[in-house]
């Protein structure tokens, strides 16, 4: 099957992007973006998006909880916090072979990145040794690896990097000013220090936030400012809509207007042109139109499967149907050295998965299901 031709900057390596990468956005500038007429904002975000990405490609990741519950942190949105009674049981760290089994299935189903999350404040030495082996085993499969394990110091970050970890996720959650209303057991500086340790160790950064926690519009702008000040920008920026879990202090917070969420996606795309902006937690509550607008606004990454750590994610059939309706396809990722294929073969694989439903029936495998 021949590759499709698109008259866009992303398809022409000689094209020079028009958008400069900046790290000095002022809060006033960001608030001015949020205040743009909705159509103007989305148009600008789409222009930036097309300068750097295939506008119809979405990076697809699988997320597996490798240790659930009993976290000592008091994050008011989190069902895994040991401070709240949410009915979530405590689970031990998964066995390495079980994780590898899930990673193999995810790869066979079309995932390009395998993400593993543990409910810890910070990994203990004995646990760190185990997750390092998990990283190495998953990397051997040819998958990108990502982990979220809580805070890590410089030494821990260095060891994870040596194990081959590609991405480390550690969200800022909200603005510095609103942060104390959400979390008291670790500081904003602690989070920034972890991101600095990760970057210094040579790993890629995955960091974003959660919207709809009762924050003011200025807090959303300030969160994005903090992310856009990281140099370089995070390679992945998950934008989460709060999932209100009974038993947490956030269970009765007022819903965020979906259009305000879309505005945040668009502003994130403009501020961080080369980052993957991930439409993350909260997708289960979004209808197809809202998700479609998020992709139009510059979101180009998702988690698939029925479960996102401990909260719901759109069912696999809904995800597949939405991809079909919108003409989206999984983002092309280079294969590992021992799986080298020609460009034509790789393009054929991506396009086939996008156009032939029978060949992507397993695309949205639930790797988070035990």
């Amino acid at each position: 099957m021949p590759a499709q031709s698109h008259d866009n900057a992303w398809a022409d390596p000689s094209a020079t992007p028009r958008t400069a990468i900046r790290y000095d956005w002022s809060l006033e500038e960001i608030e001015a973006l949020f205040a743009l007429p909705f159509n103007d904002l989305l148009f600008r975000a789409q222009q930036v998006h097309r300068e750097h990405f295939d506008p119809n490609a979405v990076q697809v990741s699988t997320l597996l909880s490798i240790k659930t519950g009993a976290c000592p942190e008091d994050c008011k949105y989190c069902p895994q916090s040991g401070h709240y009674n949410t009915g979530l049981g405590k689970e031990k760290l998964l066995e390495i072979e079980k994780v590898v089994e899930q990673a193999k299935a995810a790869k066979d189903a079309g995932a390009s990145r395998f993400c593993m999350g543990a409910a810890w404040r910070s990994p203990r030495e004995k646990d760190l040794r185990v997750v390092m082996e998990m990283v190495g085993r998953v990397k051997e499969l040819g998958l990108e690896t990502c982990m979220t394990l809580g805070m890590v110091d410089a030494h821990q970050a260095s060891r994870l990097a040596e194990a081959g970890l590609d991405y480390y996720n550690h969200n800022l959650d909200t603005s510095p000013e609103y942060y104390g209303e959400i979390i008291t057991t670790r500081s904003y500086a602690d989070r920034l220090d972890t991101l600095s340790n990760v970057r210094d160790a040579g790993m890629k950064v995955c960091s974003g936030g959660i919207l709809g926690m009762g924050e003011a519009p200025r807090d959303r702008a300030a969160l994005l400012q903090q992310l856009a000040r990281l140099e370089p920008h995070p390679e992945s920026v998950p934008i989460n809509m709060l999932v209100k879990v009974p038993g947490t202090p956030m269970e009765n917070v007022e819903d965020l207007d979906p259009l305000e969420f879309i505005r945040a996606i668009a502003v994130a795309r403009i501020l961080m042109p080369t980052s993957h902006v991930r439409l993350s937690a909260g997708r289960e509550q979004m209808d197809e139109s809202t998700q479609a607008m998020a992709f139009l606004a510059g979101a180009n990454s998702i988690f698939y499967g029925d479960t996102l750590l401990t909260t719901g994610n759109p069912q696999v059939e809904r995800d597949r149907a939405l991809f079909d309706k919108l003409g989206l396809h999984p983002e092309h990722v280079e294969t590992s050295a021992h799986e080298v294929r020609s460009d034509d073969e790789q393009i054929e694989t991506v396009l086939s998965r996008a156009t032939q439903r029978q060949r992507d029936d397993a695309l949205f495998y639930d790797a988070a299901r035990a």
Side-chain angles (χ1 to χ4, degrees):
M1 182 182 296
Q4 295 177 337
S5 175
H6 300 277
D7 184 19
N8 293 300
W10 63 266
D12 180 5
S14 66
T16 302
R18 299 182 299 274
T19 303
I21 307 299
R22 293 179 50 189
Y23 306 96
D24 61 349
W25 288 90
S26 70
L27 193 56
E28 290 70 27
E29 287 178 300
I30 298 173
E31 288 183 308
L33 290 175
F34 271 100
L36 286 171
F38 190 74
N39 287 344
D40 292 346
L41 176 60
L42 262 61
F43 179 71
R44 180 168 173 180
Q46 181 65 198
Q47 285 181 307
V48 171
H49 187 60
R50 286 172 179 266
E51 291 172 10
H52 300 276
F53 294 99
D54 176 345
N56 298 309
V58 178
Q59 191 276 323
V60 179
S61 296
T62 298
L63 178 61
L64 175 68
S65 178
I66 60 174
K67 185 270 179 184
T68 303
C71 180
E73 305 285 7
D74 67 352
C75 309
K76 291 184 178 179
Y77 55 81
C78 186
Q80 301 206 61
S81 172
H83 293 258
Y84 316 123
N85 183 16
T86 63
L88 184 67
K90 178 180 178 180
E91 296 179 1
K92 295 181 180 180
L93 184 64
L94 285 184
E95 296 178 0
I96 293 172
E97 292 303 325
K98 186 174 183 63
V99 172
V100 173
E101 177 186 343
Q102 299 291 346
K104 286 179 180 177
K107 181 187 177 183
D108 290 343
S112 61
R113 187 180 306 165
F114 193 71
C115 305
M116 295 159 274
W120 290 324
R121 174 178 173 82
S122 183
R124 297 173 299 179
E125 173 60 29
K126 66 175 184 178
D127 296 323
L128 187 64
R129 290 196 298 268
V130 174
V131 298
M132 288 172 63
E133 184 172 350
M134 287 179 183
V135 169
R137 295 286 299 279
V138 173
K139 287 282 288 184
E140 289 174 356
L141 301 176
L143 285 164
E144 291 182 322
T145 54
C146 178
M147 280 197 163
T148 178
L149 310 172
M151 295 183 292
V152 291
D153 60 28
H155 179 63
Q156 290 171 322
S158 178
R159 293 175 66 191
L160 288 169
E162 291 173 1
L165 187 61
D166 297 298
Y167 289 80
Y168 194 85
N169 167 257
H170 200 65
N171 289 335
L172 294 182
D173 286 350
T174 188
S175 70
E177 294 77 16
Y178 193 62
Y179 183 83
E181 299 295 321
I182 305 299
I183 303 159
T184 66
T185 50
R186 80 174 74 167
S187 71
Y188 211 80
D190 289 334
R191 291 182 179 267
L192 291 172
D193 286 345
T194 287
L195 294 180
S196 179
N197 292 334
V198 167
R199 184 65 80 188
D200 289 346
M203 289 182 285
K204 297 176 182 178
V205 169
C206 175
S207 186
I210 305 172
L211 309 185
M213 297 191 293
E215 76 280 352
R218 190 175 182 87
D219 292 310
R220 294 192 281 275
L223 165 64
L224 295 182
Q225 182 190 39
Q226 289 292 317
L227 294 167
R229 282 181 171 178
L230 297 175
E231 189 171 350
H233 293 149
E235 283 78 6
S236 290
V237 181
I239 305 296
N240 301 274
M241 177 78 87
L242 175 68
V243 178
K244 296 186 286 187
V245 179
T248 67
M250 300 264 97
E251 65 174 305
N252 295 315
V253 70
E254 184 178 353
D255 290 340
L256 179 67
D257 186 330
L259 293 182
E260 293 305 310
F261 181 83
I262 300 301
R263 283 184 180 274
I265 293 281
V267 173
R269 168 53 62 216
I270 294 168
L271 299 183
M272 294 167 280
T274 62
S275 300
H276 280 83
V277 177
R278 177 173 294 146
L279 183 59
S280 198
R283 279 204 304 129
E284 187 175 29
Q285 287 74 42
M286 300 177 193
D287 59 24
E288 289 187 342
S289 296
T290 300
Q291 293 187 61
M293 280 195 293
F295 292 125
L296 181 63
N300 63 338
S301 178
I302 63 166
F303 283 120
Y304 68 78
D306 292 336
T307 305
L308 189 58
L309 285 182
T310 59
T311 58
N313 207 32
Q315 295 178 356
V316 294
E317 292 296 332
R318 287 176 54 199
D319 276 338
R320 183 166 55 245
L322 182 60
F323 266 50
D324 287 345
K325 287 181 181 180
L326 300 181
L328 301 176
H329 60 80
E331 183 182 73
H332 164 71
V333 174
E334 293 293 336
T335 55
S336 59
H338 62 281
E339 296 178 302
V340 175
R341 295 176 289 168
S342 71
D343 288 342
D344 287 343
E345 287 174 323
Q346 295 182 40
I347 292 171
E348 171 73 17
T349 298
V350 170
L351 293 179
S352 294
R353 283 175 180 157
T355 58
Q356 299 180 40
R357 175 171 295 194
Q358 66 268 30
R359 293 186 58 189
D360 69 358
D361 278 343
L363 175 62
F364 297 102
Y365 174 83
D366 179 13
R369 180 177 297 156

